[in-house]
Amino acid sequence: MCGIAGICQVDASPLTPEAGQWVKAMTDRMSHRGPDGEGQWSSGPVCLGHRRLSIIDLSGGGQPMHSADGQMTVTFNGEIYNYAELKEQLTALGGQFQTSSDTEVILEGYRIWGPDCLARFDGMFAFALWDNQQRRLFCARDRFGKKPFFYTVQHGRLYFASELTGIEQLRHLSLTMNPQAVMRYLAYEYVPTPHSVYTEVQSLPPSHMLLLQDGNLSISRYWDMPMPDESDRRSDNELCEELRFLLSRAVRRRMVSDVPLGVFLSGGIDSSIVAGLMARQSSTAIKTFSIGFSEASYDESRYARIVAKAFATDHHERVLSAEECADTLPGIISRMDVPMADASVAPTWLLSGVTREKVTVALGGDGADELWAGYEHYIGFKVAQWYNAAPSALRKGIIEPLAQLLPSSAGYINPRLAVATFLRAAHAPAWQRVQTMLTAFTPDMQESILDSAFKAQQPGFLAPEVLFAPTREHYDHWQPQNAATPLARAFHVYARQFMLDDILVKVDRCSMLHSLEVRAPFLDKDAAEFAARLPVSRKLHGFKRKWLLKKAFAELLPDEILYRNKRGFQIPVAQWLRGRMRPLMEDLLSESTLKAQGIFNHQAVRALMDEHVSGRADLRKPLWTLLVFQLWWRARHP
């Protein structure tokens, strides 16, 4: 796991002498991604930089790494999990290896197979490879986007880095705030790929490659999720057997490490499966890590202890108070390179810190909720279809008025807010339904919250079909409209958008700020394709989420874990904004601050704060989204 950066002259002419200083500035800023070593290499039109977190081949895996013939050089962030198998195949084809590092498999794979090598890699990665013979820069990002890759083309050069903070170090580059990105951040709680907060900077989409050759830059897809096969008639037992094999192999591959490793253990289904499979394949007690909260409705530490006891793990736990967690939040968010309003960033960052005290690599359960229908929203999507088919008199005359009488709560679940969110999503078209359940700001809310001068920069942009364009693109792209159900296409929105720009960004940044590598067995290529090909009914069986996954691992998991309801990794935001964090909110969202910034309407923001603090409404999501943006903004405009 590492940080990469580089510069390449678009017309292949030699770089100016300052290029080396620029690349070093980028890699120095990302030293947390690789504290164990640094390297730089320049030749003609290209300069590549690297920061190393040593995981495999501690003595021989330094980068940038050159091929045996000296014609190719790569800077690589991530892991190729099937590198041992690939090395055997490449050796049989004449491949030459000087180290035992997985990095060298990229070089030899490209030398023998060209860009088609990407189809053979199972891993998490972002890399840039210079081919001196072809005078070509070849860059790529893994299938699900676990590792980041930002780039910009300015002054006749391509600049790239693992984080926006790297590119921000280059003062000669233009970096202007993109108004569309700000508005999409409010709607999504992140800026959807391929965009960034800056107009000039793009994020390479997952499962895409970038080629720069002969003055031309091209981007193309090398993989996509397969379609569900509704004609699959295999028995449950056959499917369960295959799933157990695929996930067991995925875990085994991700246990290869020359440094200590462990597992994030929340006590949920996904991390418990990973821990159980690790325990079965380890000759010693595996290390597990969890955190808990003093607030009972948010604390799940007892479930993690149940799993740790069942698998006889070496368990490490830390229970946090609201004060401790709240006080660390401003510092965490200000260190993130992108604004991302998932409130679980705080416990994820704290868990990463606890884990890094003992190990350098951790496995986790990321990807299972998106691929196996783990979220309540999957059920909500299904119920919405039935709700819309009900008589209008029942919906408008009885159900919706009764929903207004539900109690409100600042705890983990707010019944009134949950039902109101469902009803709003039910009224939305199918393609917009998932994002409507997830959004912090609807188009109508943005209309009031944004400053009039700021809105004038993007006339007409607040229309839902434009604001939620990324969701529509992912929804429609899943497969032709006549070849899938609306619910099947909803999986694509979760896996290719929400997981990419929320879940994976959160885990990557929080872990790497602690120089910790996190691996995700559920996103193994074969295991993920298996899940994607299953008919939806095998994942969401009636109202039973993760149906086949639970069935496959019923004998592995304790009953208390197998039959418990899913809980998110959350913090008591609603309470904090009325108490512990209110002074910070009042400061960052004050009239003077917002007027000087020129993005938000201070009167509308004040109204949101008053409604929430008084308890008349639960506005935790929009206020938290604004607060995170302001913390991110202040770190760049002190």
Side-chain angles (χ1 to χ4, degrees):
M1 194 63 58
C2 309
I4 64 173
I7 303 172
C8 187
Q9 198 76 29
V10 173
D11 63 4
S13 61
L15 285 171
T16 58
E18 299 93 340
Q21 299 172 23
W22 295 334
V23 170
K24 182 168 174 50
M26 288 193 283
T27 55
D28 283 352
R29 182 59 181 82
M30 300 183 295
S31 61
H32 52 274
R33 299 188 74 91
D36 298 331
E38 62 178 313
Q40 187 178 116
W41 171 83
S42 298
S43 178
V46 65
C47 181
L48 304 179
H50 190 263
R51 294 291 311 211
R52 187 183 187 202
L53 177 62
S54 301
I55 304 293
I56 294 175
D57 191 2
L58 305 186
S59 61
Q63 297 184 46
M65 182 178 287
H66 307 287
S67 60
D69 61 9
Q71 291 300 308
M72 294 172 295
T73 304
V74 69
T75 183
F76 161 54
N77 171 26
E79 305 284 350
I80 305 297
Y81 298 122
N82 62 337
Y83 79 99
E85 299 98 303
L86 292 175
K87 189 173 182 178
E88 290 183 6
Q89 297 174 29
L90 290 164
T91 300
L93 295 171
Q96 303 174 52
F97 293 90
Q98 306 169 92
T99 73
S100 58
S101 169
D102 59 334
T103 305
E104 204 168 8
V105 167
I106 297 175
L107 290 165
E108 287 301 289
Y110 172 80
R111 186 178 70 83
I112 291 176
W113 296 315
D116 289 343
C117 64
L118 294 171
R120 302 171 185 262
F121 296 160
D122 177 19
M124 55 177 180
F125 55 82
F127 65 78
L129 184 154
W130 174 249
D131 181 340
N132 193 53
Q133 288 184 328
Q134 298 288 332
R135 310 297 285 175
R136 170 198 285 170
L137 184 70
F138 169 48
C139 307
R141 194 175 180 196
D142 65 69
R143 288 172 178 79
F144 288 102
K146 286 170 277 188
K147 295 294 101 184
F149 188 100
F150 292 97
Y151 69 95
T152 181
V153 178
Q154 299 186 44
H155 308 300
R157 309 180 195 99
L158 169 72
Y159 301 80
F160 67 87
S162 293
E163 295 183 7
L164 275 178
T165 52
I167 294 176
E168 287 172 344
Q169 303 312 299
L170 307 186
R171 304 304 180 190
H172 65 285
L173 296 183
S174 296
L175 296 176
T176 53
M177 186 66 63
N178 185 349
Q180 293 188 9
V182 172
M183 290 189 279
R184 285 206 166 121
Y185 164 79
L186 295 179
Y188 291 87
E189 302 180 28
Y190 51 78
V191 180
T193 298
H195 308 290
S196 81
V197 290
Y198 300 119
T199 303
E200 300 86 356
V201 181
Q202 301 290 301
S203 173
L204 183 65
S207 62
H208 278 66
M209 70 176 83
L210 180 155
L211 294 175
L212 177 59
Q213 187 175 20
D214 299 327
N216 297 315
L217 188 152
S218 64
I219 295 175
S220 59
R221 184 189 300 112
Y222 65 85
W223 179 86
D224 205 354
M225 285 174 60
M227 297 185 296
D229 181 4
E230 299 294 340
S231 65
D232 190 340
R233 295 294 179 263
R234 285 177 292 173
S235 68
D236 292 344
N237 288 338
E238 289 176 305
L239 292 171
C240 286
E241 183 177 355
E242 183 175 354
L243 177 56
R244 285 190 290 267
F245 168 77
L246 292 173
L247 277 179
S248 295
R249 186 180 65 180
V251 168
R252 182 169 65 253
R253 285 176 169 175
R254 283 155 184 78
M255 291 175 68
V256 176
S257 172
D258 292 333
V259 294
L261 56 79
V263 59
F264 284 169
L265 183 60
S266 67
I269 293 287
D270 314 325
S271 64
S272 298
I273 289 173
V274 173
L277 292 176
M278 287 181 69
R280 282 186 173 181
Q281 301 179 74
S282 176
S283 59
T284 59
I286 64 169
K287 296 182 184 299
T288 53
F289 301 88
S290 66
I291 60 173
F293 294 98
S294 54
E295 289 81 358
S297 70
Y298 290 85
D299 183 55
E300 295 191 291
S301 57
R302 76 178 186 91
Y303 294 107
R305 290 193 292 271
I306 290 172
V307 177
K309 182 179 179 180
F311 300 134
T313 74
D314 177 11
H315 190 56
H316 303 266
E317 174 188 301
R318 184 172 298 171
V319 177
L320 305 166
S321 66
E323 291 77 11
E324 182 179 0
C325 198
D327 291 347
T328 62
L329 271 169
I332 298 169
I333 293 167
S334 64
R335 295 181 66 189
M336 299 284 279
D337 68 317
V338 293
M340 198 271 294
D342 185 333
S344 64
V345 67
T348 303
W349 187 87
L350 291 162
L351 175 60
S352 296
V354 170
T355 304
R356 188 61 175 90
E357 293 173 2
K358 301 291 183 181
V359 301
T360 310
V361 177
L363 277 65
D366 297 314
D369 284 325
E370 292 78 16
L371 294 171
W372 288 94
Y375 296 119
E376 295 91 341
H377 291 164
Y378 283 103
I379 294 176
F381 195 106
K382 197 175 202 178
V383 173
Q385 294 175 286
W386 298 342
Y387 179 79
N388 287 328
S392 177
L394 176 63
R395 290 185 284 115
K396 303 291 186 182
I398 299 177
I399 296 177
E400 294 181 17
L402 286 176
Q404 303 294 322
L405 304 178
L406 288 170
S408 184
S409 169
Y412 178 80
I413 296 176
N414 182 336
R416 185 188 300 173
L417 179 62
V419 173
T421 300
F422 164 77
L423 292 173
R424 188 170 65 238
H427 294 153
W431 69 267
Q432 196 180 326
R433 194 162 291 149
V434 168
Q435 190 54 50
T436 301
M437 287 187 277
L438 291 170
T439 194
F441 282 89
T442 64
D444 288 345
M445 293 176 69
Q446 285 206 34
E447 185 69 48
S448 64
I449 206 70
L450 291 169
D451 180 78
S452 57
F454 183 84
K455 285 187 293 186
Q457 299 177 50
Q458 299 295 325
F461 186 74
L462 292 173
E465 61 271 16
V466 180
L467 184 63
F468 293 132
T471 293
R472 183 62 185 261
E473 179 183 351
H474 285 287
Y475 183 84
D476 287 345
H477 179 72
W478 170 234
Q479 46 192 296
Q481 291 286 327
N482 61 358
T485 64
L487 181 56
R489 288 194 293 276
F491 275 81
H492 199 59
V493 176
Y494 268 112
R496 304 301 272 164
Q497 180 178 289
F498 175 74
M499 182 173 72
L500 165 67
D501 290 311
D502 186 306
I503 304 301
L504 296 180
V505 168
K506 171 186 66 180
V507 173
D508 175 79
R509 302 312 194 274
C510 289
S511 61
M512 292 311 296
L513 282 170
H514 290 284
S515 304
L516 175 74
E517 175 176 304
V518 178
R519 301 173 175 178
F522 283 99
L523 296 181
D524 172 89
K525 173 183 177 294
D526 294 333
E529 288 183 345
F530 173 86
R533 287 193 180 98
L534 284 178
V536 171
S537 60
R538 302 287 186 120
K539 293 174 281 191
L540 183 61
H541 192 68
F543 290 157
K544 296 177 181 178
R545 292 169 283 161
K546 298 181 181 176
W547 184 75
L548 191 76
L549 182 66
K550 292 179 180 180
K551 188 177 182 67
F553 293 98
E555 294 183 3
L556 175 70
L557 301 177
D559 287 348
E560 299 98 319
I561 304 303
L562 186 64
Y563 298 112
R564 62 170 296 216
N565 289 325
K566 173 183 169 55
R567 297 292 300 272
F569 201 18
Q570 292 294 335
I571 55 177
V573 170
Q575 299 173 32
W576 290 356
L577 293 178
R578 290 173 179 145
R580 186 79 181 184
M581 298 190 75
R582 182 178 174 183
L584 178 65
M585 177 178 70
E586 295 277 1
D587 174 35
L588 290 172
L589 299 179
S590 67
E591 179 178 352
S592 60
T593 298
L594 296 183
K595 281 187 173 180
Q597 185 184 45
I599 296 177
F600 304 113
N601 180 317
H602 70 89
Q603 294 174 323
V605 173
R606 181 73 258 174
L608 288 180
M609 289 194 291
D610 290 344
E611 283 287 297
H612 182 81
V613 171
S614 68
R616 293 191 298 270
D618 185 344
L619 297 170
R620 68 180 87 181
K621 277 179 71 70
L623 285 174
W624 179 258
T625 301
L626 289 172
L627 182 63
V628 167
F629 184 84
Q630 294 301 91
L631 285 166
W632 178 88
W633 175 277
R634 176 171 286 186
R636 282 147 183 81
H637 304 85

